[in-house]
Amino acid sequence: MFDHIPEALLILDSQSGVVIHGNSKFDAHVGALKIIQGKVFADTCLKAMNKGAFEEKVAELKGKVHDPNASDEDSFLGNLQILQVKQDNSLPFYGRFDLAFSIDSDNSRCFVTFRRVSPLSAAEREAEAEYADFFDNAPIALHWLSGSGHILWANKTEMITLGYTAEEYIGQPIMKFCPDDEELVLEIFKSLGSGNTIRDVPVRFRRKDQTLVYLLIDSNVAYNQDGSFKHTRCFIRDDSRRRIEEASQTFKNESMKQIAASKDKFLHKLVHQFKTPLHILTESIQQGLNCVTLDACGTLSSLVEDIVDVLAFEEGKVLQMRKEWADLRSLLTGAIPVTAREGGENKIIIEIDDQIASIETDPVHLGRVLKALVKNATIFSSNGEVTICVKEVSKSSAGSTQEVYFEVTNPGAPVDSLVMNNMFQRYYQAQPPVRNQKALEPPAKHLESEEQPQTDKLSSDVEGLGVSLNLAYNVVQNMESTLNVESKDGITTFNFTLKARIQTKAAQAFAKGSTTYVEYKECSAKVWMDAKDSDVAAKFVETSTRAPLEEEHIPPKVGLEEARPRRVLVVEDNTICQRLLKALLEKAKVTKLIVDIASNGKEAVDMLAKLGPVFDVILMDLRMPVMDGLEATLYIKETLQLDTPIMALTAEHTEESREVCMAHGMVCYLSKPCNRKDLQKALWEHCLIDVKFG
């Protein structure tokens, strides 16, 4: 019936001002009924400046409803600003309308008709549409709330975020969509009502599919000129990514704490690993250099080498192999530590195929693998017995490539298959068995079974760093083979097969008999334990090829030059290294060397400032207290203006370190422990000092 009225019509409850109904023309040209129906019209749609006049007019007409003398002017209000909430949910705008009022006979309903004061021009409509598009399609979610907390408008981003249609969302109380945080929303309204602006307040909204989405709300209030509440301006952002990133960061922080704790354990064990060989060095130096000192040096060198190579494997580098003919018996005997031959409880058995005398391989890296396997086997052997076996698998014509099988076995408790799958990962350590157990005591397990092995896990109560088996696995893979492990009938076996050329005993007239059994005794001193873990990805190491330094013919000096002693300044903070270098240099043959010691760079520059250019060469460590080697070198070159050759002698191994040393004016770079031939060659090339080290 009301749709036939030519004007836009709205019916209000005359007592409360709540919208009861409206005709189609109001719905199309003034405001969407579905949004404002059931709400107080004056609070929802009127500018504050017009609200008082509107309410007064309704109250006035209620008193004149039966007055026959009432005129049309008494029921008219002109040029009121009405919020036009759109059917298509586009951004609402205020339009100017003239309003005419009437009250029904029972004083219960108020009829209001609307006529636009002046139609919008084409330019105004275009500007309004552009302005609406800016907010409707903004990439951030926006909504507009009435003073009663109802949603008057929301843009497309908010609809997509929550999954509702405009019909399901617009006009509803905002509280309906965040029932899980009702108290928080009430606090937000209270804060906004106090004139505050809120930022980054987390609220959970419930999507249409009933899942929760974490949002951040930024909002403030638009007030009327009289200071009364008009509406809110709410911006919401999906907080799910931040929460995921926050959870991820928390996980990373916890992981970093665990890694830091593992590093602390690693460093503690690393220091411990250095103590024994350093003690041996100290004692043996007091008695003069001997084979025990050299073996301790080798232990330290191998330890550092292992750590450097583990890091290189982590970087994905590839180990470079150098093939040469190697005597097989010497290679296998070299796999047994020197200390293992000085008495103890182990029995090492070597079995070699009677046809194999020598093999074309990389003897350094193959020896490294065998040393790791033998040491692991001696630690985990239940009775101290270890067997090394090498045999030819395939028979081919002389000079062609053969398949050579290597095997290291030891008796022990069975190893679980799950443990064997993880045996070659870095840093895993196991408890060795207890020897000489009573008959009623069960044998100790090969590996701890109470806890599943984990990568990068260090046991605090066992010896070793746990890297040798990992390195052995990767080195064997670099030799185009695979290191395997199996446990059967109380025997643990590590094996691999290499493709290589061999020389027979007949060709070398080398062997005596088909099988050789060699027994050695191993000392009872503690030895560091090998790891039982390896990267599944099988990364590789790149190290410099360990080619032997070729002997160079250095012509002897004659005359006075040959007789003149040469003076060397060793700048080193480690007292043991000082004594080792001093002992080595002073025992040099051909040219007598006089050695002076400075404990740091400051002592060295003070000595040079006082004595002048009396030294023929300076051996300079890099990392020292008070003044490091690089700073001392610059001072010597630039401040003291001395051209004495300075050689870096450092534990650093990187190419970057070498380049820095050269840039600071050093003539060469030697890594600790220094190879005697390298030092001999460097002294001749850079200082013309002819020496021979015994």
Side-chain angles (χ1 to χ4, degrees):
M1 176 179 67
F2 295 114
D3 289 341
H4 298 292
I5 298 175
E7 302 289 347
L9 173 66
L10 192 65
I11 304 173
L12 309 176
D13 182 284
S14 60
Q15 301 299 322
S16 63
V18 171
V19 176
I20 299 173
H21 188 57
N23 66 359
S24 58
K25 290 182 175 59
F26 181 92
D27 200 35
H29 302 294
V30 181
L33 284 171
K34 64 181 180 180
I35 297 174
I36 66 172
Q37 195 165 8
K39 301 174 182 63
V40 178
F41 178 77
D43 292 340
T44 304
C45 299
L46 284 176
K47 279 272 192 177
M49 65 180 69
N50 302 138
K51 181 179 177 182
F54 181 91
E55 292 175 341
E56 288 176 4
K57 180 59 68 175
V58 173
E60 178 185 339
L61 289 175
K62 284 193 297 183
K64 297 180 179 180
V65 66
H66 302 297
D67 186 356
N69 297 317
S71 65
D72 293 339
E73 291 183 1
D74 293 335
S75 62
F76 177 81
L77 283 176
N79 203 24
L80 270 63
Q81 294 187 58
I82 308 296
L83 181 65
Q84 296 183 262
V85 183
K86 307 294 182 63
Q87 285 280 1
D88 60 0
N89 193 42
S90 59
L91 187 69
F93 287 92
Y94 282 96
R96 293 185 177 275
F97 292 85
D98 292 334
L99 277 61
F101 299 81
S102 63
I103 301 293
D104 64 1
S105 58
D106 61 2
N107 217 26
S108 62
R109 292 184 297 177
C110 177
F111 298 85
V112 185
T113 58
F114 298 77
R115 178 179 295 176
R116 185 179 286 275
V117 173
S118 58
L120 295 176
S121 66
E124 288 174 328
R125 285 195 299 271
E126 183 178 349
E128 185 177 295
E130 183 177 350
Y131 190 60
D133 177 76
F134 179 84
F135 290 97
D136 288 336
N137 296 293
I140 189 170
L142 308 171
H143 65 248
W144 191 340
L145 297 184
S146 69
S148 60
H150 287 77
I151 303 167
L152 297 177
W153 166 84
N155 69 354
K156 294 177 182 178
T157 301
E158 184 155 333
M159 297 290 98
I160 294 171
T161 299
L162 299 178
Y164 295 101
T165 64
E167 289 76 14
E168 296 166 333
Y169 193 64
I170 306 302
Q172 300 296 324
I174 192 69
M175 199 72 74
K176 177 180 179 180
F177 303 99
C178 43
D180 303 277
D181 285 335
E182 184 172 337
E183 291 185 5
L184 176 60
V185 174
L186 291 174
E187 285 297 321
I188 291 174
F189 284 153
K190 187 184 296 184
S191 179
L192 291 173
S194 301
N196 299 317
T197 295
I198 62 170
R199 291 186 176 89
D200 294 335
V201 176
V203 178
R204 293 175 298 174
F205 271 60
R206 194 165 289 280
R207 290 192 178 102
K208 183 177 180 179
D209 61 7
Q210 297 305 301
T211 61
L212 287 175
V213 58
Y214 293 87
L215 303 175
L216 292 177
I217 293 183
D218 299 329
S219 184
N220 59 13
V221 174
Y223 291 96
N224 295 307
Q225 290 182 349
D226 61 0
S228 60
F229 185 95
K230 184 178 180 182
H231 60 75
T232 64
R233 312 178 186 94
C234 293
F235 297 75
I236 67 173
R237 288 167 285 131
D238 192 336
D239 194 33
S240 301
R241 172 179 288 185
R242 185 191 67 84
R243 293 179 63 86
I244 291 172
E245 291 176 351
E246 189 177 81
S248 176
Q249 188 60 48
T250 300
F251 176 77
K252 288 179 181 178
N253 291 341
E254 291 300 317
S255 298
M256 290 301 294
K257 289 180 181 178
Q258 294 177 5
I259 291 172
S262 295
K263 286 182 178 179
D264 289 342
K265 282 187 178 181
F266 183 85
L267 291 174
H268 175 77
K269 297 179 72 62
L270 181 61
V271 171
H272 179 75
Q273 284 302 109
F274 274 92
K275 282 184 178 180
T276 300
L278 284 174
H279 175 71
I280 295 172
L281 280 173
T282 303
E283 295 298 323
S284 60
I285 287 173
Q286 292 176 357
Q287 303 173 23
L289 293 173
N290 52 37
C291 64
V292 177
T293 301
L294 295 176
D295 186 58
C297 290
T299 300
L300 286 174
S301 178
S302 297
L303 185 61
V304 174
E305 185 92 3
D306 285 351
I307 296 170
V308 170
D309 286 354
V310 164
L311 297 176
F313 271 119
E314 275 299 285
E315 295 172 1
K317 295 182 179 179
V318 177
L319 187 63
Q320 309 248 332
M321 295 290 168
R322 178 185 176 88
K323 290 188 177 182
E324 58 186 66
W325 288 102
D327 177 66
L328 188 57
R329 279 178 174 75
S330 299
L331 196 63
L332 297 178
T333 303
I336 304 171
V338 173
T339 52
R341 308 169 194 174
E342 297 182 354
E345 57 183 13
N346 283 86
K347 178 181 179 181
I348 310 296
I349 301 173
I350 300 178
E351 299 179 351
I352 307 177
D353 190 304
D354 61 354
Q355 292 302 311
I356 305 176
S358 58
I359 182 172
E360 187 181 39
T361 185
D362 187 318
V364 173
H365 293 108
L366 179 56
R368 190 178 184 185
V369 171
L370 293 172
K371 284 180 181 178
L373 298 181
V374 170
K375 178 166 282 191
N376 179 77
T378 58
I379 292 172
F380 290 104
S381 175
S382 59
N383 61 4
E385 183 175 295
V386 175
T387 301
I388 310 171
C389 176
V390 182
K391 59 186 177 181
E392 186 180 3
V393 177
S394 62
K395 303 288 185 179
S396 303
S397 58
S400 61
T401 300
Q402 317 286 333
E403 287 188 352
V404 183
Y405 175 80
F406 292 79
E407 178 182 271
V408 177
T409 62
N410 66 271
V415 181
D416 185 81
S417 59
L418 180 61
V419 173
M420 286 192 293
N421 290 336
N422 296 304
M423 253 185 161
F424 297 109
Q425 293 184 5
R426 298 184 319 281
Y427 307 137
Y428 177 75
Q429 295 179 300
Q431 291 286 358
V434 178
R435 304 263 178 93
N436 302 321
Q437 300 170 12
K438 297 179 181 179
L440 296 179
E441 291 180 342
K445 289 190 176 181
H446 215 78
L447 295 170
E448 296 177 78
S449 60
E450 295 180 359
E451 185 174 310
Q452 186 174 344
Q454 299 176 14
T455 306
D456 295 338
K457 179 177 179 182
L458 292 170
S459 175
S460 60
D461 55 353
V462 293
E463 294 278 334
L465 299 177
V467 295
S468 294
L469 284 182
N470 171 254
L471 290 172
Y473 181 90
N474 287 293
V475 170
V476 169
Q477 197 166 52
N478 275 236
M479 302 175 85
E480 301 182 8
S481 183
T482 301
L483 179 58
N484 304 299
V485 61
E486 58 185 39
S487 178
K488 185 177 181 181
D489 299 330
I491 301 295
T492 300
T493 302
F494 289 86
N495 64 75
F496 58 94
T497 302
L498 296 183
K499 293 182 178 180
R501 293 193 300 164
I502 62 172
Q503 287 183 344
T504 64
K505 294 182 180 182
Q508 287 193 340
F510 181 82
K512 295 180 181 179
S514 61
T515 304
T516 302
Y517 292 88
V518 183
E519 295 188 7
Y520 297 108
K521 298 293 184 179
E522 186 173 24
C523 64
S524 58
K526 291 183 178 179
V527 291
W528 64 287
M529 187 185 303
D530 298 327
K532 301 253 183 228
D533 261 322
S534 172
D535 292 324
V536 179
K539 298 177 180 177
F540 300 105
V541 170
E542 176 182 87
T543 62
S544 58
T545 303
R546 295 168 174 80
L549 181 68
E550 296 182 2
E551 289 286 344
E552 295 188 11
H553 176 69
I554 303 176
K557 299 179 181 63
V558 296
L560 296 177
E561 181 67 17
E562 182 179 8
R564 183 175 77 85
R566 311 298 283 271
R567 197 164 178 180
V568 181
L569 176 60
V570 174
V571 188
E572 168 67 61
D573 63 318
N574 187 292
T575 55
I576 294 178
C577 292
Q578 290 173 3
R579 297 182 65 182
L580 279 173
L581 281 170
K582 185 175 176 67
L584 173 66
L585 293 169
E586 288 182 343
K587 289 183 179 181
K589 299 177 180 179
V590 181
T591 301
K592 180 178 177 57
L593 299 179
I594 300 172
V595 181
D596 291 88
I597 301 292
S599 296
N600 55 63
K602 181 65 166 57
E603 287 188 15
V605 298
D606 288 346
M607 190 182 298
L608 289 166
K610 180 179 179 180
L611 300 177
V614 298
F615 296 101
D616 296 280
V617 63
I618 300 171
L619 299 181
M620 182 74 73
D621 190 17
L622 295 186
R623 296 183 183 273
M624 296 179 290
V626 186
M627 178 184 288
D628 64 33
L630 296 176
E631 187 179 355
T633 299
L634 282 180
Y635 192 92
I636 294 168
K637 295 294 183 183
E638 297 180 0
T639 303
L640 300 181
Q641 297 289 307
L642 297 178
D643 59 359
T644 306
I646 301 175
M647 299 181 182
L649 185 55
T650 176
E652 303 286 341
H653 289 76
T654 65
E655 185 62 30
E656 291 82 1
S657 177
R658 179 188 298 273
E659 292 173 357
V660 169
C661 289
M662 296 300 146
H664 279 69
M666 297 185 182
V667 296
C668 71
Y669 182 95
L670 300 172
S671 292
K672 296 177 184 177
C674 182
N675 183 284
R676 295 185 180 191
K677 292 181 179 180
D678 291 342
L679 179 58
Q680 176 180 310
K681 181 179 179 181
L683 289 172
W684 170 249
E685 287 184 352
H686 301 287
C687 310
L688 294 179
I689 299 176
D690 183 16
V691 293
K692 296 290 184 183
F693 298 112

